[in-house]
Amino acid sequence: MTLITRKDDEEQQSIPDDNYNDKDNDILSRLRGFEASLDARFGVESEAINRKLPEDRRPVKWHEELSMALLWASATMNTSCFATGFLGWELGLSLRLTIVISILGSVLGAALPGFAATFGAATGLRQISVSRYSFGWWPNKLIAVLNVIVQIGWAAVACITGGLALAAVADGHLSLIVGIVILAIVAVLISIVGLKAILVYERYAWIVFFTIFLIFFGEVGRYADNTTPSSLKGADLAGAVLSLIAIVYGSSASWVSIASDYYVHYPADVSRVKVFLMTTFGIAIPTSVGMVAGCVVASALNNRPDWADTYEGDGIGFLIQTMLYPRGFAKLVLTLLVLSGINVNVVSIYSAAIACQQTAHAFARVPRFVWTLMCFALILGLALGGREQLNTYLQNFLSLLGYWSTSYFAIMLIEHYVFRRGNFENYDLDAWNDPARLPIGLGALAAFLVGVAGWILGMVETWYAGPIGRLIGSGGGDVANELTFVLTVATFLPARYFELKMFGR
């Protein structure tokens, strides 16, 4: 009889490959050994996707619990959300209306990752592993791939906006391409170290950017245009409002697919209400601060034509340099803003890498730092390809994030509260990496695909407008999230019930 220790069991669950032998002298074994040595010497996180058992976690002090909110404050308060604040002005909406949408849309979207975050400490599992209890082993691979795409997309946006700021600091002598590369390299180095380094870095980084946005309000606020009404009326106005809501909502909702990644080290009995509230408002408040700053600056372009010319001709980085005084101080602010791109990249690259590991057993054998480097290469390619069309990129990308995040959230929500009675005791947590004990996932897959029909019917993008979305005003109104939620829930309830009756899991 062979005695299997807890460590042995965890290793089998993380890489359950019958042909795998630690003594095999293949390249993956060597790479895993190298990663383990880095972990032992420098704290570079290895075995990141293994379930964190309750007895292996230590109590967390109150100031460490602040990371539940501050992690997201650093990741969201950046030049990307600042740039998103310009979209209301671009769509012809008034400052007041844009501010209201920015705040309410951020809170609504942030509630999704707030809910998902409550699974981290309770299960000890990363987000993609958590969703196996709804989507099953095989359909969940689709979720893992989508999550990787989301995180790489977010990181590319951050590289572009940060690169624009860096180029402005150098007065155009440094190309945007070089700025993008610098940002990506710094972020990937922090991400390679792992969760401990990320939590420490992000706990304090937000202070710098909160201060910068306060400076924006102070220096630019007097030029804000709070009198010009929306240039749109009737159905056109309704369509623009719906489209902006979709963009802002998608910006915050997109964190739902990685939320629990950053809570697995907390005690299993930590208050889930606390986790929900700190995560929701840890995302919503900083995002709102950055977006509202963008709204105010965008409205000021109506009163400062010279700023508008700079923005249209040279981009957001040179606009910041122009609007702040004195010039030396403006360069300092821009230099600090470059770091905001690093903040979101650190989180996105880390979660993208561990999502790759959770896609398949074979992928789990590839060390996390290898996946991190591969994601780095993809981010560079996407950022360099989309660097000249930032606003178009933001409008299309952020809206698409909201669509799939809504489907994912709806399925997780119904699974937890309807089929598992809101009780984590109804989860067989030891089965997290065993396809034979997880749900089949047919119900979730069917609901997700029907939800995709909601995207197609209701979306309004620069490259496509759905048959329902295009009915609202001359420019269309994005109602894909609303349709997606309704269709996903209406499909998942009977489909999951049928799946349980047929297969018993």
Side-chain angles (χ1 to χ4, degrees):
M1 178 178 179
T2 303
L3 178 64
I4 299 178
T5 65
R6 179 185 303 155
K7 182 177 179 181
D8 294 330
D9 183 56
E10 288 178 358
E11 290 176 351
Q12 287 180 351
Q13 288 187 350
S14 64
I15 313 172
D17 187 340
D18 294 337
N19 298 320
Y20 169 68
N21 188 330
D22 276 329
K23 296 180 181 179
D24 288 346
N25 194 26
D26 62 9
I27 184 64
L28 292 180
S29 296
R30 293 181 180 183
L31 289 173
R32 282 195 301 275
F34 176 66
E35 185 180 52
S37 66
L38 290 177
D39 192 359
R41 293 181 183 181
F42 307 111
V44 174
E45 185 182 12
S46 61
E47 304 297 337
I49 65 172
N50 283 2
R51 183 185 167 221
K52 305 301 182 284
L53 301 175
E55 56 267 32
D56 293 336
R57 305 178 221 170
R58 63 173 179 82
V60 177
K61 298 179 181 179
W62 68 269
H63 64 274
E64 292 179 287
E65 286 190 340
L66 292 177
S67 292
M68 293 180 189
L70 300 183
L71 162 73
W72 305 108
S74 295
T76 57
M77 204 177 331
N78 51 48
T79 47
S80 299
C81 70
F82 176 69
T84 305
F86 280 68
L87 297 181
W89 176 76
E90 299 266 3
L91 292 171
L93 301 179
S94 68
L95 175 59
R96 292 181 183 179
L97 185 55
T98 304
I99 289 176
V100 171
I101 292 172
S102 297
I103 295 173
L104 295 182
S106 295
V107 173
L108 181 62
L112 275 64
F115 165 75
T118 62
F119 286 76
T123 65
L125 295 171
R126 308 294 182 148
Q127 191 65 55
I128 295 302
S129 293
V130 168
S131 59
R132 289 173 181 170
Y133 289 89
S134 304
F135 286 85
W137 181 261
W138 294 103
N140 196 61
K141 295 178 186 294
L142 171 63
I143 301 302
V145 171
L146 285 172
N147 186 42
V148 172
I149 294 171
V150 166
Q151 302 317 315
I152 288 176
W154 256 128
V157 170
C159 282
I160 294 170
T161 54
L164 286 168
L166 193 58
V169 169
D171 291 324
H173 298 303
L174 180 72
S175 73
L176 176 56
I177 293 175
V178 175
I180 288 172
V181 172
I182 291 173
L183 278 164
I185 289 175
V186 175
V188 82
L189 290 175
I190 298 174
S191 297
I192 283 176
V193 177
L195 184 58
K196 291 181 181 178
I198 291 172
L199 291 176
V200 172
Y201 173 78
E202 303 280 13
R203 191 181 301 156
Y204 303 105
W206 67 274
I207 298 172
V208 175
F209 309 108
F210 180 66
T211 304
I212 288 173
F213 285 128
L214 289 181
I215 292 170
F216 283 3
F217 287 121
E219 291 214 17
V220 181
R222 63 183 181 275
Y223 298 110
D225 181 6
N226 197 28
T227 58
T228 301
S230 299
S231 59
L232 305 173
K233 302 293 182 182
D236 289 344
L237 176 60
V241 167
L242 288 168
S243 294
L244 185 59
I245 289 173
I247 293 167
V248 175
Y249 163 86
S251 173
S252 294
S254 62
W255 301 108
V256 69
S257 60
I258 68 170
S260 76
D261 291 354
Y262 302 93
Y263 296 82
V264 294
H265 64 293
Y266 290 105
D269 60 354
V270 68
S271 169
R272 287 191 281 278
V273 174
K274 179 196 297 184
V275 171
F276 172 78
L277 292 176
M278 292 187 71
T279 303
T280 298
F281 290 102
I283 293 173
I285 293 175
T287 300
S288 297
V289 169
M291 285 190 182
V292 171
C295 296
V296 170
V297 173
S299 74
L301 302 184
N302 294 334
N303 295 324
R304 293 295 303 264
D306 53 329
W307 290 3
D309 292 340
T310 301
Y311 173 68
E312 296 292 344
D314 301 314
I316 200 167
F318 284 94
L319 170 63
I320 294 172
Q321 182 174 268
T322 302
M323 73 189 194
L324 297 182
Y325 182 85
R327 185 174 177 82
F329 175 68
K331 284 185 174 294
L332 173 62
V333 169
L334 275 171
T335 303
L336 294 174
L337 271 177
V338 171
L339 299 176
S340 72
I342 296 172
N343 292 350
V344 67
N345 278 8
V346 165
V347 172
S348 295
I349 294 173
Y350 176 79
S351 286
I354 62 175
C356 289
Q357 286 187 301
Q358 294 169 91
T359 303
H361 284 153
F363 287 6
R365 294 187 62 195
V366 180
R368 183 179 60 83
F369 79 89
V370 175
W371 285 115
T372 299
L373 295 175
M374 293 174 66
C375 291
F376 162 74
L378 291 172
I379 288 164
L380 275 184
L382 190 57
L384 295 176
R387 67 187 185 278
E388 302 298 339
Q389 299 292 330
L390 175 59
N391 279 340
T392 301
Y393 190 161
L394 282 171
Q395 290 184 51
N396 291 323
F397 176 64
L398 294 182
S399 295
L400 287 171
L401 292 188
Y403 307 154
W404 97 269
S405 297
T406 298
S407 292
Y408 180 81
F409 165 74
I411 291 168
M412 291 271 296
L413 182 74
I414 299 301
E415 176 72 30
H416 183 64
Y417 284 108
V418 175
F419 295 103
R420 299 186 188 268
R421 309 298 183 190
N423 190 341
F424 285 101
E425 292 183 0
N426 293 325
Y427 290 78
D428 180 6
L429 296 178
D430 292 331
W432 72 274
N433 212 27
D434 184 354
R437 295 162 64 186
L438 290 166
I440 302 298
L442 295 178
L445 179 61
F448 191 85
L449 293 177
V450 171
V452 171
W455 312 358
I456 297 171
L457 290 172
M459 70 164 63
V460 175
E461 307 290 343
T462 58
W463 51 274
Y464 172 79
I468 294 179
R470 73 167 68 106
L471 294 176
I472 306 172
S474 58
D478 196 316
V479 291
N481 287 300
E482 294 86 342
L483 290 173
T484 296
F485 183 82
V486 172
L487 292 175
T488 301
V489 171
T491 304
F492 185 62
L493 280 167
R496 180 68 172 122
Y497 178 79
F498 177 76
E499 179 183 346
L500 287 169
K501 284 290 186 183
M502 289 291 295
F503 302 102
R505 56 186 172 102

